[in-house]
Amino acid sequence: MKKQSRRTFLDFLGKSVVGTAVLPPALIACAPEENTKRVAETNWKFNGIEPSDADEVIVAEGLEWDLLVKWEDQISDNDKFGSHNDYLAFLPDENNPDEGLLWVNNEHFSPRLSTAFDGEIERTKEDVDFEMYQVGGSIIKVKKNQAGKWEMVVNDSHNRRLTAHTEIPFNWSEQIYGSNTAIGTNGNCAGGITPWGTIFTCEENYHNYWGERDLETGERTNSWLKWHHIYDYPPEHYGWVVEVDPRTGDAKKHVALGRCAHECATIVVLDDGRFVVYTGDDKRGECLYKFISSEPGSLENGTLYVANTDEGRWISLDYDTQEVLQQNFKNQTEVLTYLRKAAKLVGGSPLDRPEDIEIDPLTGNVLVALTKNYPAGNYYGQIMKVEEGEGKYDSLSFTSEAFLAGGEETGFAAPDNMEFDKAGNLWFTCDVPGGHMNNEEIPQYLPFKNNALFVLMRNGPQSGEVIRVASAPTDAEFTGPFFSPDGKTLFLSVQHPGERSRSKDELTSHWPEGGDALPRSGVITLQGETLEKIQGLA
Ligand code: FEO
Ligand code: CA
Ligand code: CA
């Protein structure tokens, strides 16, 4: 793990103007110079909260939270909201920013609290069908009511689900394991939003549902959930970046971005209309990737590269030009389908679990959350900064260094999702697993208590401070922070409260309903004066 660089950190602080990087116009617009200047000139400070182990959402002064939607809420007469919400994106209505569509990833579910599956008993079609409905994504219409609070518009014509039963085509000229389409999407972890108003939803831990295949032997491993005992769908159909149009529900799987445990996909549009998409493989010792399209507007034609962080090089995964790939694979499709193996063969650097990737709207640098590597003794993780050669996103050289390290000094451990606000402050969530939090046997995590939402202040009197803004319920992580266009609402997922519950009779959380209720993942909104002052809006 690289040491945090003080120079890098100072370079981030006090930024109120665009540096040397060539920034896409959309990024400049999200962090206007006036906002950062206004924050820089203020004396306003706010108090964060102390770590908490309470089974509730706790927020800092000047903030309020409200529950918007939770697992199994009826979104229409036909559909229910999915489980374990992660990434989300708000797409405002063209004519009214106080209403719009909310896309929400549904990453997984709790077998013990739904079908009572414990990994041992035989699978039934009825139970697997139920589980397959919990994952994928939910599209709901939301709007502000007269009190300024967000509500779901139940039965809006846009409300729909994508699930592990939904047929989705591959955006690729060749078949993937014998088919042009896959049945379903699952493991939908983090994602990204495109400038044309669609979203990327990323299939992360697909092996839990469908297992994996060994390319040499052709044998398929079993999976924890054993869905393939009921449906014989190939693992090769999962682990892709899926693009969804929330207005229509249309989806496609982008083969050119490769197949792995994708955490997220972050797109930049170059001046000439070509795309660069960053994506990471969230598994210990796996890699960071970027796709560069060879023609404007294409997410099919182009080259995928893997990062070698020691040498600062993006290495091509192009079959035609890499002899080592020709020796080990049949063609480009096979390279992309078994990406991990290909990445190692060409010299991709193993990293400590790449999670979310965001582009700093003021410097143009690429930030990558490397959450942790617990067995290797890296308990706290870090946020890594990638500075592309000459500030060009299609450069094949870069420098990287630790930008912000987790630990007791900074007050956080295991960074995961990130989001910049309108003044260039960096908001991020943390993900220490339920079984590791508040556990005397793992004292390294005791000081942090429950997972939380943090903000790294960029300007003003608290510049450089990491402030704990909100605390999550028991066993939960916050995920998917996403600002409304005016910056005055932060949509936030609360994922897997009560994750350690052994059964419906032994619950470790009752969030959000309290009493004896089952714990349910849900989406909340944060609003209030603090959110506005922190961004120089009020
Ligand atoms: Fe689903 Fe890597 O978090
Ligand atoms: Ca994550
Ligand atoms: Ca993000």
Side-chain angles (χ1 to χ4, degrees), residues 86 107 189 204 263 282 353 355 416:
D86 200 295
E107 183 174 12
C189 187
E204 190 191 29
E263 172 78 14
D282 182 7
R353 297 188 46 202
E355 297 253 19
D416 193 331

Side-chain angles (χ1 to χ4, degrees), residues 15-59:
K15 278 281 178 194
S16 59
V17 289
V18 173
T20 51
V22 183
L23 281 178
L27 284 177
I28 296 168
C30 17
E33 202 176 326
E34 312 89 71
N35 289 62
T36 55
K37 274 192 180 149
R38 217 173 290 140
V39 177
E41 287 161 6
T42 183
N43 290 321
W44 176 79
K45 284 186 174 186
F46 90 109
N47 297 316
I49 56 171
E50 294 298 316
S52 164
D53 57 8
D55 184 27
E56 57 186 319
V57 171
I58 300 170
V59 295

Side-chain angles (χ1 to χ4, degrees), residues 283-338:
K283 187 179 178 207
R284 283 192 286 269
E286 291 302 336
C287 300
L288 176 68
Y289 299 90
K290 80 171 176 185
F291 169 81
I292 306 176
S293 56
S294 56
E295 57 191 60
S298 179
L299 283 170
E300 182 178 0
N301 299 320
T303 304
L304 189 62
Y305 296 83
V306 63
N308 181 309
T309 52
D310 295 326
E311 297 171 9
R313 285 195 301 134
W314 290 104
I315 305 173
S316 163
L317 288 152
D318 176 33
Y319 183 83
D320 290 339
T321 53
Q322 289 281 23
E323 208 169 303
V324 68
L325 297 181
Q326 292 165 13
Q327 288 160 358
N328 286 275
F329 296 93
K330 286 207 274 294
N331 52 36
Q332 186 70 51
T333 302
E334 197 171 77
V335 168
L336 294 167
T337 307
Y338 299 94

Side-chain angles (χ1 to χ4, degrees), residues 505-530:
D505 299 323
E506 298 173 85
L507 301 175
T508 57
S509 167
H510 303 284
W511 192 89
E513 295 169 293
D516 296 329
L518 272 187
R520 293 178 185 275
S521 296
V523 176
I524 64 172
T525 54
L526 295 192
Q527 294 172 307
E529 196 184 29
T530 292

Side-chain angles (χ1 to χ4, degrees), residues 86-87 107 189-190 204 263-264 282 353-356 371 415-417 429 431 477-480 495:
D86 200 295
Y87 176 77
E107 183 174 12
C189 187
E204 190 191 29
E263 172 78 14
C264 75
D282 182 7
R353 297 188 46 202
E355 297 253 19
D356 204 2
T371 192
D416 193 331
N417 300 127
T429 61
D431 178 20
E477 60 172 311
F478 287 130
T479 50
Q495 198 193 96

Side-chain angles (χ1 to χ4, degrees), residues 66-383:
D66 293 277
L67 181 66
L68 178 60
V69 61
K70 65 183 185 304
W71 177 43
E72 291 193 317
D73 278 355
Q74 213 70 46
I75 64 171
S76 70
D77 290 343
N78 302 321
D79 279 310
K80 291 179 178 179
F81 192 73
S83 188
H84 285 48
N85 34 244
D86 200 295
Y87 176 77
L88 52 81
F90 173 70
L91 297 125
D93 187 278
E94 263 181 17
N95 304 312
N96 180 4
D98 286 344
E99 59 180 72
L101 297 179
L102 197 65
W103 163 271
V104 187
N105 278 8
N106 296 119
E107 183 174 12
H108 55 109
F109 60 94
S110 168
R112 291 176 195 273
L113 302 188
S114 47
T115 53
F117 180 63
D118 60 0
E120 299 298 325
I121 54 177
E122 277 301 306
R123 307 275 31 210
T124 67
K125 181 172 180 302
E126 186 187 7
D127 281 357
V128 169
D129 282 343
F130 177 87
E131 292 174 0
M132 288 172 74
Y133 183 74
Q134 306 311 313
V135 300
S138 302
I139 301 165
I140 57 171
K141 174 81 179 263
V142 295
K143 68 172 187 185
K144 264 189 192 165
N145 63 22
Q146 286 186 331
K149 300 292 185 186
W150 292 88
E151 290 177 346
M152 171 169 58
V153 182
V154 179
N155 270 328
D156 184 88
S157 60
H158 293 92
N159 294 8
R160 71 177 84 223
R161 290 291 318 283
L162 271 75
T163 73
H165 290 292
T166 308
E167 188 168 354
I168 302 176
F170 292 107
N171 181 31
W172 197 240
S173 56
E174 289 176 26
Q175 293 192 331
I176 302 299
Y177 211 80
S179 180
N180 294 314
T181 62
I183 303 298
T185 182
N186 49 77
N188 307 74
C189 187
I193 188 163
T194 69
W196 54 95
T198 60
I199 61 91
F200 292 133
T201 175
C202 296
E203 298 178 341
E204 190 191 29
N205 293 314
Y206 60 90
H207 61 281
N208 286 337
Y209 310 83
W210 301 110
E212 183 55 296
R213 196 183 319 275
D214 184 303
L215 183 58
E216 273 75 49
T217 65
E219 278 178 29
R220 178 188 200 146
T221 61
N222 211 343
S223 69
W224 146 244
L225 288 160
K226 302 175 188 164
W227 284 1
H228 52 98
H229 290 198
I230 304 295
Y231 294 102
D232 188 22
Y233 300 155
E236 287 84 353
H237 284 187
Y238 312 98
W240 302 103
V241 173
V242 187
E243 183 182 359
V244 180
D245 185 343
R247 291 159 293 215
T248 61
D250 292 344
K252 52 190 164 190
K253 299 198 179 196
H254 286 302
V255 173
L257 304 184
R259 175 174 165 273
C260 60
H262 285 285
E263 172 78 14
C264 75
T266 303
I267 189 167
V268 176
V269 182
L270 303 178
D271 285 344
D272 61 7
R274 288 177 303 129
F275 301 143
V276 175
V277 184
Y278 294 90
T279 181
D281 183 0
D282 182 7
K283 187 179 178 207
R284 283 192 286 269
E286 291 302 336
C287 300
L288 176 68
Y289 299 90
K290 80 171 176 185
F291 169 81
I292 306 176
S293 56
S294 56
E295 57 191 60
S298 179
L299 283 170
E300 182 178 0
N301 299 320
T303 304
L304 189 62
Y305 296 83
V306 63
N308 181 309
T309 52
D310 295 326
E311 297 171 9
R313 285 195 301 134
W314 290 104
I315 305 173
S316 163
L317 288 152
D318 176 33
Y319 183 83
D320 290 339
T321 53
Q322 289 281 23
E323 208 169 303
V324 68
L325 297 181
Q326 292 165 13
Q327 288 160 358
N328 286 275
F329 296 93
K330 286 207 274 294
N331 52 36
Q332 186 70 51
T333 302
E334 197 171 77
V335 168
L336 294 167
T337 307
Y338 299 94
L339 183 61
R340 279 180 184 156
K341 178 180 171 179
K344 295 291 160 55
L345 285 169
V346 300
S349 296
L351 297 171
D352 287 346
R353 297 188 46 202
E355 297 253 19
D356 204 2
I357 301 168
E358 289 292 328
I359 302 205
D360 183 333
L362 294 173
T363 63
N365 293 328
V366 183
L367 297 188
V368 183
L370 300 176
T371 192
K372 62 182 179 309
N373 188 342
Y374 167 75
N378 171 7
Y379 290 90
Y380 306 122
Q382 59 157 288
I383 297 172

